Amino acid sequence: MRLKSSQFMSVNDFPYCINHKIHTDRNLPPIHDHDFVEIVYVTDGEAEHIFEGELYHVSAGDVFIINPGEVHTYKLEPGSKLEIVNCLFMPTLFDEVWLRGLGISESMDYFYVHPFLDKSERFHRCLNLRGQDAEEIFSLFQGMSNEFEEKKKGYSTLIRLQLVQLLVQLSRLYQKVKDSTEQVNVKTQERKTLIKRICGYLERHYDQKLSLSILSDLFNISSRHLNRIFKEETGKTVIEFVHQVRITRAKKLLTETDEKIICIAMDVGYDDPAFFTRLFSRKVGCSPGKYREKMNGNAVDDGVAFEEDRLLQSM
């Protein structure tokens, strides 16, 4: 369904209109597009915005833009409602000479009027405003609504100015969100890089004495913070990761060498062979000797069996 600007505004005189609407599941508009720009501000309720075949959840404080030719409608749960202010206008509302006089040009950000028609410059369809930001933007919508309803002398000029102010404010808010997101992304990448460095260090120095204190000094980070972010990134604590690396190395030595289990325990960083045997049994499901037997297809010799019995008895 195609909506025409002539249905809502005087296209030649003042191509602008602003409405307050309450949508329910019983009075939703059919899926449609239009030949004008629509700015929507959600004042209350929540719904799914069906936009170009995709669903976007919207709720109070959200503001989004539908460009000419873009297909959309809403989907609501039974008994729920969505209250919105929608501002409709034609791009011809703004004269280019007038805009340049205000210092606004085509080179500016998405919200600075001209790039409205550029579909490549969208911002995930929505700005999620809360607190003071939401109040200030709503105040601008309300000011335009009052001027449009009362139609006092000079109202069209004031609405043009207020709409440009709205667009500039939205541009600032969008840039703030964008900058904040980029900062978070940078910090996230820095953290991932740090964890990779720590993992690499642990994989190279697994046979040495390792502790949170040593690592925190080496990488200039507190022990508590180190263990927390390491767990978040890897799913393991630092100590669990060290045990994993050591056990993996021990399995390799058990299958590729004839070294005694006591020696292998020392080789992978455990001073206490009994602890190594107990840990290996818990992690792998069998003792080191049984593991060697299973992997090599040989029976455990009496010397290995005696050694493991002695270690297990000492636990």
Side-chain angles (χ1 to χ4, degrees), residues 46-63:
E46 58 183 338
E48 298 296 327
H49 184 210
I50 304 174
F51 180 90
E52 294 285 278
E54 300 289 336
L55 288 179
Y56 299 88
H57 184 78
V58 294
S59 59
D62 288 354
V63 58

Side-chain angles (χ1 to χ4, degrees), residues 19 79 92 126 141-142 147 161 173 183 186 196 199 212 229 233 290 294 306 312 315:
N19 299 298
T92 55
C126 193
F141 276 103
Q142 195 61 48
E147 287 292 336
L161 290 170
L173 292 170
Q183 288 178 358
V186 168
K196 286 181 180 179
C199 288
L212 279 176
I229 65 173
E233 291 294 327
K290 288 288 186 182
K294 182 170 63 174
F306 176 77
L312 291 170
M315 295 177 188

